[in-house]
Amino acid sequence: MGTTTLGSTLRSKLEEQHIGVGDEVVVPAYCDSEVAAAVREVGALPVFADVERESLCLDPASVAAVVSERTAAVIPVHTFGYPADMVCLRALAQRHGVKVIETEEETAVSSVETARRRQHAEFLSARLNGVIVPRAAAGVRHAYEQYVVRVPGNGRPDRDAFKQALRARGVPCHVPVKTPLYRLPEFRADIWLPETERATDECLALPLDAAMSRRDLQRIVSACNALGGLLMEPAC
């Protein structure tokens, strides 16, 4: 498998900061594996921290709990378009004398496509029921690169049943992160991060694209809301 653009960029940034063998780098366990893989490629050890429930981005408190004398850097990930808490993470990094390496550039001006996705997300969030819709904190500009809801219930069986039922109704939804990174063979670690576990069990990405029409969005709403009763059935 070839190295991704993100992986190559991160590896270059780590090398520029002279991070390598003997160093630890704190990364989220709820994200694509390419971030942790880039850390491994320079010889450093990825150390996993938990995410915040609302943002699904690195939780500064969890990062603080895993920082050690060997920690060289922290890599925040702006999850699904929700910006990580860079103010707290930079302050934490400064206190501990470690670097903050970002996975992408922050943009001050929103694109037309991003503005359109935000409008679509607002439409969905105002109308969906039976799922927990994403909410941005006051002052936070969510780009909605993916529109990720939570399916409440007793964990993965409920979410996966909901996913299959939506697909049967023509809604091409998917599970954005299927497994915490620390449970993958190449990154296995004997840890348990509760919010990461909860997110992998409950989260489902619904289709959201700037080019979608109001009719497209309404089809998603109708399909999801028609399945609301599915979540309320008692377990057998």
Side-chain angles (χ1 to χ4, degrees), residues 33-169:
S33 64
E34 59 193 340
V35 175
V39 174
R40 289 282 295 272
E41 286 172 6
V42 300
L45 176 68
V47 174
F48 300 109
D50 211 350
V51 295
E52 296 176 318
R53 182 175 299 193
E54 294 299 324
S55 70
L56 297 173
C57 299
L58 269 179
D59 181 354
S62 183
V63 173
V66 299
V67 167
S68 73
E69 293 181 355
R70 297 177 61 188
T71 304
V74 177
I75 303 180
V77 174
H78 306 307
T79 311
F80 310 136
Y82 197 115
D85 188 347
M86 300 306 298
V87 172
C88 286
L89 290 171
R90 286 184 179 126
L92 186 155
Q94 186 173 19
R95 287 197 303 272
H96 292 277
V98 303
K99 306 289 185 181
V100 174
I101 299 176
E102 294 192 61
T103 56
E104 57 191 73
E105 297 295 327
E106 295 183 50
T107 55
V109 180
S110 299
S111 67
V112 173
E113 289 79 9
T114 299
R116 188 71 172 161
R117 285 200 304 271
R118 287 193 179 113
Q119 291 176 353
H120 292 344
E122 290 175 2
F123 180 92
L124 292 175
S125 294
R127 292 163 176 80
L128 287 171
N129 57 56
V131 297
I132 300 171
V133 299
R135 301 290 187 190
V140 173
R141 299 288 286 168
H142 197 324
Y144 293 102
E145 292 171 3
Q146 294 192 60
Y147 185 82
V148 177
V149 301
R150 288 177 183 264
V151 180
N154 297 319
R156 185 168 297 166
D158 294 300
R159 189 273 315 278
D160 287 354
F162 193 86
K163 177 191 69 176
Q164 295 300 332
L166 279 183
R167 286 182 172 178
R169 287 162 172 77

